[in-house]
Amino acid sequence: MTTTPALPPPYRVVAFEAIDSTNEEAKRLAAQGHPDSTVVWAERQLKGRGRRGRAWASPAGNLHCSFLLRPGCEIARAAQMSFAMALALVDAIAALGEGRLAARCKWPNDVLIGGRKVAGILLESAGATMGPLDWLVIGTGVNVAYHPKDTAFPATSLAAEGLAGVAPAEVLVALAAAWREWRERLEREGFAPVRAAWLGVAHGLGEDVAVRLDNATLNGRFLGLDADGALVLEDAHGGRRLVAAGEVYFPAP
Ligand code: BTN
């Protein structure tokens, strides 16, 4: 195994050379009572999962990690954590690239460089339908050395963007530091500053988009986020619609 990442308190890293999925392991640890700020890291995943049941290519050389949280909040608020994590990814990439790489956020929680996906987030939680969550797992994958070539949305990697030779552990250290700041900000000040910062680095704001839902596709202009993080879409007649979950695509230039 390459060097296990060392993170400062309050983090505690649980490291694997290979595992099915760091999200699955974080969920198992949650069920065993492991505390907030446990971070599961794996050099490679055998069954890495993306959103909507997709597979997530997880070779050694990329970052695969899952943050276990015991946030004590309700599910609606937990979803806002993924926006904070996307901002942490943007900041971590900026720090690693010493300002040369400007990543942007794509709704709901992808991170792009040059319009191509470099990182994704998979949020999973458990708890009573009403009341505080028992746990929340924020799984994060970053294409550090490699990116898939056959995805519906084009992908890239830090290496392909000129940041070669970076170890996944270095990316995790930068991400954990940035995540700590954004999480604290969200918990201290609420979603408003996170929303504002996210809009400041949003990809495609004001542009025409197609939003794929489970059974339909909506077309319109991406106007922004509502106060809870739903996508605000303007239709051809100037009507506004809020979209809570879906996949955004941009027309080819
Ligand atoms: C997506 O964009 O579809 C989300 C991708 C999330 C991938 C990460 S890699 C670490 C964690 N473990 C998983 O199985 N998935 C997430």
Side-chain angles (χ1 to χ4, degrees), residues 17-43:
E17 189 272 319
I19 195 147
D20 50 354
S21 149
T22 57
N23 263 38
E24 288 306 315
E25 180 63 14
K27 286 156 64 176
R28 290 189 285 264
L29 296 182
Q32 292 164 23
H34 284 247
D36 188 281
S37 297
T38 300
V39 179
V40 181
W41 173 78
E43 198 167 324

